[in-house]
Short mmCIF file of all heavy atoms in Angstrom, two decimals:
data_model
loop_
_atom_site.label_atom_id
_atom_site.label_comp_id
_atom_site.label_asym_id
_atom_site.label_seq_id
_atom_site.Cartn_x
_atom_site.Cartn_y
_atom_site.Cartn_z
N MET A 1374 0.84 -1.18 0.00
CA MET A 1374 0.00 0.00 0.00
C MET A 1374 0.89 1.24 0.00
O MET A 1374 1.89 1.30 0.67
CB MET A 1374 -0.91 -0.01 1.23
CG MET A 1374 -1.88 1.11 1.24
SD MET A 1374 -3.15 0.77 2.46
CE MET A 1374 -3.91 2.34 2.52
N SER A 1375 0.47 2.24 -0.75
CA SER A 1375 1.27 3.46 -0.85
C SER A 1375 1.18 4.28 0.43
O SER A 1375 0.21 4.21 1.17
CB SER A 1375 0.81 4.29 -2.05
OG SER A 1375 -0.50 4.73 -1.84
N THR A 1376 2.21 5.07 0.67
CA THR A 1376 2.25 5.87 1.90
C THR A 1376 1.44 7.14 1.79
O THR A 1376 1.11 7.74 2.80
CB THR A 1376 3.71 6.23 2.25
OG1 THR A 1376 4.27 6.94 1.15
CG2 THR A 1376 4.51 4.99 2.54
N SER A 1377 1.11 7.57 0.60
CA SER A 1377 0.27 8.75 0.44
C SER A 1377 -0.75 8.52 -0.65
O SER A 1377 -0.57 7.70 -1.53
CB SER A 1377 1.13 9.97 0.10
OG SER A 1377 1.75 9.78 -1.14
N PHE A 1378 -1.85 9.26 -0.56
CA PHE A 1378 -2.95 9.00 -1.47
C PHE A 1378 -2.65 9.42 -2.90
O PHE A 1378 -3.27 8.96 -3.83
CB PHE A 1378 -4.24 9.68 -0.97
CG PHE A 1378 -4.18 11.17 -0.96
CD1 PHE A 1378 -4.57 11.89 -2.06
CD2 PHE A 1378 -3.76 11.85 0.16
CE1 PHE A 1378 -4.53 13.27 -2.06
CE2 PHE A 1378 -3.73 13.24 0.18
CZ PHE A 1378 -4.11 13.94 -0.94
N TYR A 1379 -1.69 10.29 -3.14
CA TYR A 1379 -1.43 10.77 -4.49
C TYR A 1379 -0.21 10.12 -5.14
O TYR A 1379 0.13 10.46 -6.26
CB TYR A 1379 -1.26 12.29 -4.50
CG TYR A 1379 -0.11 12.79 -3.68
CD1 TYR A 1379 1.16 12.87 -4.22
CD2 TYR A 1379 -0.27 13.16 -2.35
CE1 TYR A 1379 2.23 13.31 -3.47
CE2 TYR A 1379 0.79 13.61 -1.60
CZ TYR A 1379 2.03 13.68 -2.17
OH TYR A 1379 3.08 14.11 -1.41
N ALA A 1380 0.43 9.19 -4.46
CA ALA A 1380 1.67 8.60 -4.98
C ALA A 1380 1.46 7.86 -6.29
O ALA A 1380 2.31 7.92 -7.18
CB ALA A 1380 2.29 7.67 -3.94
N ALA A 1381 0.35 7.17 -6.44
CA ALA A 1381 0.12 6.38 -7.64
C ALA A 1381 -0.29 7.24 -8.83
O ALA A 1381 0.04 6.92 -9.97
CB ALA A 1381 -0.94 5.32 -7.38
N ASP A 1441 -5.73 -0.03 -2.83
CA ASP A 1441 -4.54 0.81 -2.98
C ASP A 1441 -4.79 2.08 -3.77
O ASP A 1441 -3.88 2.87 -3.97
CB ASP A 1441 -3.42 0.02 -3.67
CG ASP A 1441 -2.88 -1.09 -2.79
OD1 ASP A 1441 -3.10 -1.01 -1.56
OD2 ASP A 1441 -2.25 -2.01 -3.32
N VAL A 1442 -6.01 2.28 -4.21
CA VAL A 1442 -6.34 3.43 -5.06
C VAL A 1442 -7.23 4.39 -4.29
O VAL A 1442 -8.21 3.98 -3.67
CB VAL A 1442 -7.05 2.97 -6.36
CG1 VAL A 1442 -7.45 4.15 -7.21
CG2 VAL A 1442 -6.17 2.01 -7.14
N TYR A 1443 -6.87 5.66 -4.34
CA TYR A 1443 -7.68 6.71 -3.72
C TYR A 1443 -8.31 7.55 -4.81
O TYR A 1443 -7.73 7.74 -5.88
CB TYR A 1443 -6.81 7.61 -2.84
CG TYR A 1443 -6.39 6.97 -1.56
CD1 TYR A 1443 -5.34 6.07 -1.53
CD2 TYR A 1443 -7.04 7.26 -0.38
CE1 TYR A 1443 -4.94 5.47 -0.35
CE2 TYR A 1443 -6.65 6.67 0.81
CZ TYR A 1443 -5.60 5.78 0.82
OH TYR A 1443 -5.22 5.19 1.98
#
Side-chain angles (χ1 to χ4, degrees):
M1374 185 166 168
S1375 65
T1376 58
S1377 64
F1378 66 89
Y1379 62 87
D1441 291 341
V1442 177
Y1443 287 79

